[in-house]
Amino acid sequence: MTFQPITHLRHVDLAVPDFDRQRTFFRDTWGLTEVADDKGLAFFAAEGSPEQYVVRVRRDQQKRMDLVAFGAGSTADVDRLATELIAAGVQLVREPGLMDTPGGGYGLRFFDPDGRVVEVSADVATRAHRRIEEREAVPVRLSHCVVNSQQPELLRDFYARHLGFRLTDTLYSTHMGDLMYFMRCSRLHHSFAIARGPHVSLHHVSFEMRGVEEYMRGTGRALRAGTRLTWGPGRHLAGDNTFSYFHDPHGNTVEYTTELTVLDEDLWHPGRHDVDDPIVQDQWGTADPMSESVAKEQFNDPDVLFTAPPV
């Protein structure tokens, strides 16, 4: 059996020039809780999640996705992952060791084939969290992260080979080939996905709401605050989850979603879904049809890749 060290998605870290504006957006509009700040770093938790934080924001002159972080089952899994990565010639950013981020823990960082920084950690202390109440429109947890890549097949195979991700479904076009690979590390339909894009960048970060009522209320709050809605509300076929895509103050796409499919892994077989079928993109038919202009909204700005290890 393939080594499967990853248990879940922990957090996504962003660098932004307008630090204060981004903090205000995540706290006051998006419904996250700021739990810590430290000299140009701000950490945001989701009230329903045991994770110490689900988003980190860092002040920088350059906008970029700093890293994506996943949880591992044990410190032994972290060590074994490091050994296998080194043997495969993967460049480590930080060797396994104790972590100094909120919650501590034991982890490592490395570069994926796109030059993106990936963190894997175990034994991170959990945060006191609570049940999200009916009609309370704040995120329960981080749902998934999607990245853009010019070499999505290579990236798909890397995450499957080294991190044990499994392919759940594929979006394709008869004219453009495969467009997105949905990858899972648990019974959830996807925690990570890879989109074919013109450059390396963040495609979107998705936040799980309590239910459809709370999802719609959150969508309405963001709209009333003047946040730009780029696609939705609607309901995808792959994953069967709802979607409302917005742009944050720096043009990153952030999504409210809910009701992502939980799979029976013993019975699941990866599907292929044609994006030219309108039902694939939106089962409800409430969102604008997928088009080139809609797709471009999620290309984002090219990430400025690190020439030195990130903070």
Side-chain angles (χ1 to χ4, degrees):
M1 182 178 180
T2 303
F3 179 41
Q4 297 179 352
I6 305 303
T7 56
H8 64 291
L9 175 65
R10 283 201 192 278
H11 54 87
V12 174
D13 297 7
L14 304 174
V16 297
D18 196 336
F19 181 68
D20 292 334
R21 189 179 177 201
Q22 190 76 19
R23 289 175 70 186
T24 300
F25 170 79
F26 277 133
R27 182 185 64 236
D28 297 345
T29 300
W30 205 245
L32 299 177
T33 301
E34 187 169 354
V35 292
D37 65 88
D38 179 23
K39 297 179 181 178
L41 293 173
F43 301 84
F44 293 88
E47 280 296 301
S49 170
E51 289 297 321
Q52 290 286 333
Y53 59 100
V54 295
V55 174
R56 189 195 78 173
V57 177
R58 181 175 64 85
R59 188 195 309 273
D60 196 294
Q61 293 181 346
Q62 298 280 359
K63 168 195 166 183
R64 63 155 71 90
M65 178 181 176
D66 272 349
L67 64 82
V68 57
F70 300 103
S74 67
T75 58
D77 285 344
V78 172
D79 284 335
R80 177 178 170 183
L81 175 60
T83 299
E84 295 193 2
L85 290 172
I86 292 170
V90 176
Q91 182 183 353
L92 299 191
V93 175
R94 181 180 300 171
E95 294 186 353
L98 297 178
M99 300 172 60
D100 59 3
T101 45
Y106 183 84
L108 82 160
R109 291 179 180 178
F110 56 91
F111 290 113
D112 75 10
D114 280 348
R116 185 178 295 105
V117 179
V118 181
E119 177 182 284
V120 176
S121 61
D123 281 5
V124 177
T126 57
R127 174 181 178 269
H129 58 292
R130 62 181 179 84
R131 181 179 182 271
I132 302 303
E133 299 299 327
E134 186 176 351
R135 298 195 173 188
E136 186 180 6
V138 299
V140 175
R141 63 177 180 84
L142 187 62
S143 174
H144 57 270
C145 171
V146 183
V147 298
N148 290 311
S149 176
Q150 294 170 296
Q151 47 185 2
E153 289 79 15
L154 177 64
L155 208 60
R156 174 200 62 195
D157 294 346
F158 176 89
Y159 280 85
R161 175 186 174 190
H162 295 296
L163 301 184
F165 276 87
R166 284 86 74 193
L167 177 66
T168 305
D169 280 319
T170 300
L171 298 184
Y172 77 95
S173 163
T174 54
H175 305 293
M176 295 178 285
D178 290 354
L179 298 177
M180 184 175 290
Y181 299 112
F182 295 96
M183 311 289 287
R184 70 184 187 277
C185 58
S186 67
R187 292 180 61 208
L188 293 172
H189 182 273
H190 60 284
S191 296
F192 186 65
I194 302 161
R196 187 178 303 280
H199 45 247
V200 175
S201 61
L202 175 67
H203 187 281
H204 74 269
V205 184
S206 181
F207 299 80
E208 177 80 19
M209 305 298 272
R210 183 181 188 272
V212 173
E213 175 73 23
E214 293 75 22
Y215 151 78
M216 287 301 297
R217 286 173 178 265
T219 297
R221 181 183 63 244
L223 286 170
R224 289 190 182 110
T227 312
R228 182 163 177 255
L229 178 71
T230 60
W231 196 30
R235 189 167 201 132
H236 294 311
L237 181 63
D240 197 32
N241 54 307
T242 61
F243 65 90
S244 291
Y245 295 100
F246 291 91
H247 271 178
D248 74 8
H250 287 85
N252 298 304
T253 299
V254 288
E255 177 192 32
Y256 281 143
T257 191
T258 195
E259 298 187 348
L260 184 68
T261 297
V262 179
L263 305 177
D264 183 340
E265 289 205 272
D266 291 335
L267 299 178
W268 187 261
H269 296 282
R272 291 182 57 80
H273 303 284
D274 186 347
V275 297
D276 293 326
D277 180 351
I279 298 299
V280 168
Q281 298 295 348
D282 178 20
Q283 297 182 76
W284 288 344
T286 52
D288 291 336
M290 172 52 70
S291 64
E292 184 177 346
S293 61
V294 171
K296 284 182 177 179
E297 296 284 0
Q298 296 168 345
F299 285 163
N300 211 334
D301 302 317
D303 276 344
V304 179
L305 299 181
F306 290 104
T307 56
V311 175

